[in-house]
Amino acid sequence: QVQLVESGGGLVQAGGSLRLACAASRTIFSIYSMGWYRQTPGKQRELVAVFTSGSNTNYADSVKGRFTISRDNAKNTVYLRMDSLKPEDTAVYYCNAVLIRGANSDTYWGQGTQVTVSS
């Protein structure tokens, strides 16, 4: 199992920046994938940025060139640097981790952190 704790959300003006952090309760080196999703009311949770199979990264088209995912294995933490923020980036951002157990996988979520971008 793994517990995920997000931090770093808040209110920012359009064009501004924020950095989210997700601290895991175990080494992230052994986690199959770890990253960020976001959700707004009435919509499905969507992928923002994620590490898979080690250092491979995947970004949503809407954030490419503006957001950067990074990791610090020594701190068991994954970060999401968000630049050039837009009002449409307003959402609750969730940290996600997937662990592989043989032929099965377990998915874990953090509690979420609100990001609000004002125009």
Side-chain angles (χ1 to χ4, degrees):
Q1 284 194 341
V2 61
Q3 284 76 48
L4 306 170
V5 178
E6 300 109 332
S7 61
L11 173 65
V12 65
Q13 288 189 331
S17 299
L18 283 174
R19 189 181 77 159
L20 306 182
C22 174
S25 60
R26 58 177 285 173
T27 176
I28 63 175
F29 184 78
S30 62
I31 294 177
Y32 173 72
S33 73
M34 190 167 173
W36 296 92
Y37 287 69
R38 66 187 181 187
Q39 188 170 25
T40 54
K43 292 189 177 182
Q44 284 191 327
R45 198 169 291 186
E46 64 176 5
L47 180 144
V48 177
V50 66
F51 281 108
T52 60
S53 302
S55 298
N56 296 323
T57 57
N58 187 25
Y59 290 91
D61 288 342
S62 60
V63 307
K64 284 180 180 177
R66 300 189 298 121
F67 291 11
T68 304
I69 190 170
S70 62
R71 61 197 293 168
D72 186 334
N73 289 340
K75 295 183 178 179
N76 298 332
T77 300
V78 171
Y79 302 95
L80 183 68
R81 170 74 181 189
M82 303 184 293
D83 295 316
S84 302
L85 282 161
K86 304 175 181 180
E88 51 264 43
D89 295 317
T90 296
V92 178
Y93 284 69
Y94 295 91
C95 184
N96 167 273
V98 176
L99 275 66
I100 302 297
R101 292 185 299 108
N104 299 312
S105 63
D106 296 320
T107 299
Y108 299 88
W109 296 95
Q111 80 283 1
T113 185
Q114 177 71 47
V115 171
T116 303
V117 184
S118 63
S119 57

